[in-house]
């Protein structure tokens, strides 16, 4: 499976909430049940980025092949240490989805499944809507799931269900607040990873996991 983790850092998220989000994701990834699911799936390739405004996108961790506990812990550690790139921009969900599609198109491994995991606490309020992203970027065979933090108005849960999730088996996981983010992320990751496996086929010139020496970072 190819997994894109897209993390909302728009202006509605304060520094404490940012820390709860990044720390919660980092701890969720290191949970034994998540590590076991990844290993039993035969490994996944994953990358993470923060997003807010139309051009305010910062890659947190590049495409990385995760096949062991050490791989997952290193990936989670990089997320936990990430310093926020932007903190005063709106919520450009359509642009975040477009960036996700571009990153998937450049993923180094050919996988049987592709998932975009979008976390956020608000609706789109800058730039084009998600529907336009789905129309203009390649989301064929891509599932977009949402992890929504409740509390803002208009209701982000209803918005994600109606406008953001996309593709086969797409779903929304709900966190009551940022303190609940870690538990919600664990539930979400387990649901996404279980049953995932790397495709046994690669297009000409593409690398499989066994071709990547040393570092698990894939360039």
């Amino acid at each position: 499976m190819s997994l894109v983790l897209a993390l909302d850092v728009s202006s509605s998220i304060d520094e404490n909430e940012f820390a709860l989000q990044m720390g919660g994701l980092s701890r969720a990834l290191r949970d034994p049940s998540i590590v076991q699911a990844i290993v039993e799936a035969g490994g996944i390739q994953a990358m993470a980025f923060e997003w807010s405004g139309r051009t305010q996108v910062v890659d947190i961790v590049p495409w990385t092949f995760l096949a062991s506990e050490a791989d997952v812990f290193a990936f989670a550690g990089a997320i936990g240490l990430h310093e926020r790139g932007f903190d005063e921009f709106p919520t450009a969900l359509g642009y975040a989805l477009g960036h996700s599609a571009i990153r998937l198109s450049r993923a180094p491994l050919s996988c049987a499944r592709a998932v975009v995991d979008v976390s956020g606490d608000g609706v789109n309020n800058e730039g084009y809507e998600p529907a336009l992203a789905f129309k203009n970027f390649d989301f064929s065979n891509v599932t977009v799931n949402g992890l929504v933090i409740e509390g803002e108005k208009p209701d982000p849960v209803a918005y994600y269900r109606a406008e953001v999730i996309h593709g086969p088996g797409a779903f929304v996981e709900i966190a009551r607040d940022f303190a609940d983010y870690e538990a919600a992320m664990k539930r979400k990751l387990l649901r996404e990873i279980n049953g995932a496996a790397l495709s046994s086929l690669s297009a000409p010139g593409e690398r499989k996991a066994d071709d990547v020496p040393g570092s698990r970072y894939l360039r």
Side-chain angles (χ1 to χ4, degrees):
M1 180 178 78
S2 299
L3 177 63
V4 174
L5 296 161
L7 305 167
D8 181 6
V9 298
S10 57
S11 58
S12 63
I13 295 174
D14 64 27
E15 287 305 306
N16 181 59
E17 291 167 341
F18 172 77
L20 287 170
Q21 180 178 205
M22 304 304 290
L25 173 56
S26 180
R27 290 187 296 273
L29 283 163
R30 293 196 300 265
D31 185 89
S33 63
I34 303 298
V35 174
Q36 181 181 3
I38 291 172
V39 172
E40 290 182 352
I44 67 171
Q45 66 174 349
M47 65 87 57
F49 70 90
E50 67 163 68
W51 61 273
S52 52
R54 289 176 293 177
T55 60
Q56 285 69 46
V57 176
V58 177
D59 285 353
I60 299 170
V61 192
W63 281 114
T64 308
F65 182 63
L66 312 177
S68 68
E69 180 180 82
D71 297 334
V72 178
F73 273 52
F75 185 82
I79 291 172
L81 292 173
H82 174 67
E83 295 185 6
R84 186 173 186 169
F86 299 97
D87 62 5
E88 56 185 21
F89 289 88
T91 304
L93 258 166
Y95 280 82
L97 289 169
H99 186 76
S100 299
I102 292 169
R103 284 292 178 262
L104 280 171
S105 74
R106 298 172 181 172
L109 305 180
S110 178
C111 297
R113 297 174 59 224
V115 175
V116 176
D117 187 328
V118 185
S119 299
D121 73 339
V123 306
N124 188 75
N125 58 23
E126 183 180 60
Y128 54 77
E129 292 285 339
L132 201 56
F134 294 134
K135 181 178 179 180
N136 288 281
F137 292 89
D138 184 9
F139 280 90
S140 57
N141 301 315
V142 177
T143 298
V144 178
N145 298 322
L147 193 163
V148 184
I149 301 92
E150 289 184 309
E152 295 292 329
K153 299 294 182 183
D155 180 17
V157 176
Y159 182 83
Y160 267 67
R161 285 176 172 157
E163 305 293 339
V164 179
I165 63 172
H166 176 86
F171 66 93
V172 171
E173 188 67 55
I174 301 171
R176 296 184 303 275
D177 51 31
F178 279 90
D180 188 41
Y181 186 91
E182 179 181 344
M185 181 57 77
K186 286 180 188 177
R187 296 192 299 270
K188 190 167 189 288
L189 288 171
L190 280 175
R191 189 169 173 181
E192 289 167 335
I193 294 166
N194 280 336
L198 286 171
S199 171
S200 60
L201 300 176
S202 294
E206 286 188 321
R207 291 176 294 173
K208 296 183 181 179
D210 292 343
D211 299 328
V212 184
S215 173
R216 290 294 185 175
Y217 288 90
L218 306 176
R219 303 291 183 179

